[in-house]
Amino acid sequence: MAPVEDFETFYHSSFPVVLAAASAVAASNSGIAEDATNDAFIQAYRKWPRVAAMSSPVGWTVRTAIRRVRRLHRLANRRQERERALMSDPTVGHQTLTDSVMDEEVWAAVAALSPRQRQAVVLRYVEDLTQKQAACEMDIAPGSMAATLNHARGQLKRRLGTPNATD
């Protein structure tokens, strides 16, 4: 494993470059650029032996930050679309007590999944990323994402039960 000092040197020398690239993509939203840059360096630190061995660790970190900026922009856009839908039709956000209880049961079942399965479910079904995008975000192969989601759905099905076809 690469020494921590190497990462610290890399961080201090590369931070301005990565932040500038993220800022260029984030346009006028400096908060998103800073968040994306910090997230990229966290990812780089977690994978430091592999990142350090790359021909361009800075390039990898810049690409990671830019992907994060784009993802944060997508999430913000989806949030705005949901808010506009709520403003135009107030009944859209109305939940019955049964819906609320069901949500609690579902979230409890999701919380009981392994961390990897939980992340896959949230990226795919809550954040509405495609399977390929979710795999990229988790830095796993699309086939691994498919298997992870399949196992997670099986766990959820067992925990929540399935509706009876005769009901």
Side-chain angles (χ1 to χ4, degrees), residues 26-37:
S28 62
N29 196 328
S30 62
I32 284 181
E34 290 171 10
D35 287 348
T37 300

Side-chain angles (χ1 to χ4, degrees), residues 54-109:
M54 293 177 175
S55 60
S56 177
V58 175
W60 181 90
T61 310
V62 165
R63 284 189 307 278
T64 301
I66 288 172
R67 279 196 313 268
R68 182 69 176 155
V69 166
R70 290 180 178 149
R71 182 168 173 260
L72 291 170
H73 275 299
R74 281 193 309 271
L75 291 173
N77 288 340
R78 284 189 199 122
R79 202 171 297 120
Q80 287 174 348
E81 287 172 13
R82 279 186 238 128
E83 288 172 5
R84 278 194 294 271
L86 283 171
M87 295 300 281
S88 65
D89 184 3
T91 63
V92 169
H94 185 281
Q95 279 190 324
T96 65
L97 181 58
T98 307
D99 292 338
S100 180
V101 169
M102 181 60 176
D103 284 349
E104 288 176 23
E105 290 175 24
V106 170
W107 284 114

Side-chain angles (χ1 to χ4, degrees), residues 39-53:
D39 289 348
F41 277 103
I42 289 169
Q43 293 259 348
Y45 181 74
R46 287 181 180 154
K47 300 173 183 185
W48 183 239
R50 194 174 92 200
V51 173

